[in-house]
Amino acid sequence: MLPWPGMSDALGPDPYLDAPLVGRWHEPQGRIGEARLLPAVWPITAIFILLPLWWLMGLSGFILQALALPMLAATLFRRKLAAPKGFALWLGFLVWCAFSATQITDPKQGFSLGYRVSLYLAATIAFVYFLNYSKTELPTSSVFLGLAGFFVVIVMGGIVGMVLPNVSFRTPVQSLLPPQLLRQEFISDLVSASTTSAKAFAAYPIHRPKVPFVYTNLWGATYAITLPFAIGALAYIRKKFWRDIMVLVLLGSVLPLVFSLDRGAWLSAAGGMGYAVFRQARGKNQQVLKVVMLAGLVLGMLLFVTPLGEIILVRLNNGYGDAHRAELYQTSIELVKQSPFFGYGAPVATEGNLSAGTHGQMWTVVVAQGIPGLTFFVGWLLWALWKASRRLPEGHPGDRNARLWAEVAIFTGIIQMPYYELAPWGLTLVMIGAALAWREAGVAPIAARRRGPDRANGSIARRSSNP
């Protein structure tokens, strides 16, 4: 376990490994007499479900960091905190961000670094928060259902963009900011609101939807990473009517997804579902495998018998942004050769009003934090994926459905890295998925082992150190 302010450094073997389960399982406990004004699942509602409200106000670019503060306060109020050993990789990345800050040369770069680090810290807080609340206080089903609600929000936003294209308005935050700040394109984008991006092809009346996000690519990236949570939530919907509604939303979501003309979203969503099929085939879970394959067949038929398939072919044959991306990637490679260790602290402005170190989390990190920073970042995600993929021992009470779809979400985030920024929403979703997967395996509750079975309460089992 990792040392952390107020965090347990509990001893004993990794609870994923080989010892048999004995006795009772112990969940993390809050302080005695702890009072909560809100249920522990409140961040899901406040951050994700209410995102359209923050978007309308011009706050969507800052709400995650703002609401991370009360999450941090609630987390520090816990009696014991715990984190897995692999979390050291992520902490190493955060430390390397501080080192790379020494390379900042102008205020614009400083703002860029500060903004991105605030998103990294918010995602860190989300991971620790969801890991350390017990399943009694914060049920896994509630998190999945809440994120399924977020998926519905994303799909409805995409449909709004299809029905009301090219609508923009001045947000309250935009009205309050001074004009000199709004002249900065990035800041202006963060606080403004519009339903779509510009029309992509003159021959097609298609405006790429982006409600309730700042950019269309951000809409597509978040759609793909939230999709596994929406599918996983089907197992927790008890009433057939609402389960059928969710299935219809999942199938209908192909419409705004295609209209987004977002090849990265198509690739990562398909890649995530392909990975899920592969994992289910290995695990011989025939029921889930049949459902996923049937959904793929229905979607394939929709693309074949409707104009959606033609739109996809036109987009695949017309990569209008490919040359722009290739130039940025080549420039990023040259910059890394010049400063491979600490990077530049932030993306670097180049000729033609371009910014090397953008259009992909991998490029952002390697330019801003150098090769060591990228190693920490990718190492953490791979570690999280590996741990989430470990099969639970026979008789383990952990939720295998939750672990599977959390694993798929992490995988989807990893394959997005070369062409999408994960921060803010994708990275936070991946962190929540990693936290839930670890919690279901009993990682967070390991702090209770030091107190012994007679002093700990809850329902997550303790493992013997001797097989």
Side-chain angles (χ1 to χ4, degrees):
M1 301 302 294
L2 287 175
W4 187 272
M7 185 173 287
S8 167
D9 59 346
L11 305 176
D14 188 326
Y16 280 91
L17 301 182
D18 306 311
L21 294 171
V22 297
R24 293 178 56 82
W25 286 65
H26 303 294
E27 297 197 15
Q29 302 296 312
R31 290 181 178 175
I32 296 174
E34 177 183 350
R36 287 189 297 273
L37 298 178
L38 296 172
V41 76
W42 71 262
I44 298 294
T45 301
I47 296 173
F48 296 101
I49 304 299
L50 293 181
L51 183 60
L53 173 63
W54 311 130
W55 176 77
L56 288 170
M57 295 176 65
L59 289 170
S60 63
F62 307 97
I63 196 63
L64 181 60
Q65 303 94 308
L67 293 183
L69 296 177
M71 287 174 63
L72 175 62
T75 303
L76 294 178
F77 195 71
R78 309 296 293 168
R79 183 193 305 167
K80 292 285 186 179
L81 297 180
K85 293 178 180 178
F87 197 50
L89 290 167
W90 180 253
L91 296 181
F93 170 71
L94 295 179
V95 170
W96 208 259
C97 287
F99 289 153
S100 69
T102 61
Q103 309 301 305
I104 294 294
T105 58
D106 64 68
K108 186 179 293 186
Q109 273 192 311
F111 175 81
S112 177
L113 173 64
Y115 181 76
R116 284 182 169 83
V117 168
S118 71
L119 295 175
Y120 298 152
L121 291 174
T124 305
I125 293 168
F127 175 81
V128 177
Y129 179 93
F130 283 91
L131 181 67
N132 281 277
Y133 269 87
S134 72
K135 293 173 64 176
T136 302
E137 299 167 303
L138 180 55
T140 299
S141 59
S142 296
V143 179
F144 266 78
L145 290 171
L147 292 179
F150 182 47
F151 181 80
V152 174
V153 167
I154 294 171
V155 173
M156 293 300 103
I159 292 175
V160 167
M162 293 171 57
V163 175
L164 300 174
N166 207 28
V167 174
S168 60
F169 54 90
R170 193 172 184 84
T171 66
V173 172
Q174 193 175 11
S175 300
L176 293 174
L177 289 181
Q180 56 268 32
L181 280 180
L182 294 177
R183 282 194 286 269
Q184 302 292 329
E185 182 178 1
F186 178 63
I187 297 177
S188 178
D189 287 343
L190 286 178
V191 299
S192 61
S194 57
T195 58
T196 58
S197 299
K199 189 165 68 171
F201 300 113
Y204 290 88
I206 297 176
H207 292 75
R208 304 175 67 195
K210 61 179 183 176
V211 180
F213 299 99
V214 178
Y215 304 111
T216 295
N217 283 353
L218 189 55
W219 183 94
T222 312
Y223 169 97
I225 296 182
T226 313
L227 177 61
F229 293 105
I231 296 175
L234 292 173
Y236 308 114
I237 302 175
R238 300 306 175 196
K239 293 186 177 181
K240 184 179 184 301
F241 173 79
W242 292 112
R243 189 163 54 249
D244 291 344
I245 291 294
M246 192 66 211
V247 170
L248 290 176
V249 170
L250 285 164
L251 293 175
S253 69
V254 71
L255 294 172
L257 178 62
V258 171
F259 269 68
S260 72
L261 300 178
D262 201 331
R263 293 174 300 174
W266 301 345
L267 171 64
S268 54
M273 294 304 99
Y275 180 80
V277 170
F278 169 74
R279 293 288 288 126
Q280 289 306 295
R282 284 190 60 193
K284 299 180 180 180
N285 189 332
Q286 297 300 318
Q287 183 177 2
V288 177
L289 182 60
K290 288 177 181 178
V291 170
V292 173
M293 294 183 69
L294 178 61
L297 179 63
V298 173
L299 291 178
M301 292 177 60
L302 281 175
L303 297 179
F304 183 76
V305 302
T306 68
L308 297 177
E310 181 184 354
I311 294 173
I312 291 177
L313 289 176
V314 170
R315 178 66 178 100
L316 293 176
N317 292 326
N318 293 273
Y320 53 82
D322 292 350
H324 177 70
R325 281 182 176 268
E327 181 180 354
L328 286 176
Y329 296 162
Q330 183 59 44
T331 304
S332 297
I333 293 171
E334 296 301 321
L335 287 170
V336 172
K337 290 179 180 179
Q338 298 173 28
S339 181
F341 199 63
F342 287 116
Y344 298 85
V348 178
T350 61
E351 294 182 5
N353 198 30
L354 300 177
S355 188
T358 58
H359 290 68
Q361 189 69 46
M362 181 181 77
W363 304 102
T364 298
V365 173
V366 76
V367 170
Q369 280 76 47
I371 294 175
L374 182 63
T375 302
F376 283 126
F377 193 101
V378 175
W380 158 249
L381 292 182
L382 291 176
W383 178 278
L385 179 68
W386 177 62
K387 284 295 189 179
S389 68
R390 300 289 297 276
R391 184 176 298 179
L392 296 179
E394 190 70 26
H396 193 294
D399 188 332
R400 288 164 173 77
N401 175 73
R403 281 174 54 79
L404 167 68
W405 294 109
E407 177 190 348
V408 174
I410 297 169
F411 176 82
T412 304
I414 290 173
I415 64 175
Q416 284 186 2
M417 283 188 60
Y419 51 88
Y420 277 152
E421 300 273 358
L422 290 183
W425 303 106
L427 181 61
T428 303
L429 290 166
V430 166
M431 287 293 205
I432 293 173
L436 294 179
W438 258 302
R439 193 179 72 165
E440 288 300 330
V443 174
I446 200 171
R449 297 177 55 199
R450 298 187 69 188
R451 301 195 297 274
D454 296 331
R455 298 177 58 190
N457 298 314
S459 61
I460 296 190
R462 183 172 59 94
R463 304 190 67 142
S464 169
S465 58
N466 299 312

